Amino acid sequence: MRIIVQRAGVASVVATWIFAVACSSTDEAAAKAALSDGCLVNTDCNSPLVCAFRRCHNACVDDRDCPAATRCMASDKPFHVCQLVSA
């Protein structure tokens, strides 16, 4: 009987830990900024976006890496980013 109680306790702890990890990763992903949203550092943006000019951008090497009608430009960081479409 004691073994059953111990196993139930261990199972409860494991289930709680799995639930906590799953919820925290979902909340963290939801908190990340999308394209053109405000940011301060790269980790504020959804991957693979980078933070430049305080907005999340697509990183690029050449104009062809960017969506149509936009261009690849030097940013305020040591990389290049796709120009955001003006609203």
Side-chain angles (χ1 to χ4, degrees):
M1 183 66 151
R2 183 176 204 148
I3 292 174
I4 293 172
V5 172
Q6 286 176 339
R7 286 184 182 172
V10 170
S12 176
V13 169
V14 170
T16 302
W17 180 81
I18 290 171
F19 180 75
V21 169
C23 289
S24 66
S25 62
T26 302
D27 293 341
E28 182 179 320
K32 301 274 184 180
L35 184 64
S36 81
D37 285 349
C39 61
L40 295 176
V41 294
N42 289 339
T43 53
D44 291 342
C45 302
N46 282 323
S47 182
L49 302 178
V50 295
C51 186
F53 310 114
R54 299 184 120 186
R55 299 274 179 215
C56 295
H57 293 259
N58 286 310
C60 59
V61 174
D62 198 329
D63 289 343
R64 66 184 180 169
D65 297 329
C66 300
T70 63
R71 61 191 176 102
C72 185
M73 53 193 283
S75 73
D76 57 346
K77 307 284 185 181
F79 47 79
H80 289 75
V81 294
C82 294
Q83 178 182 23
L84 296 173
V85 177
S86 299

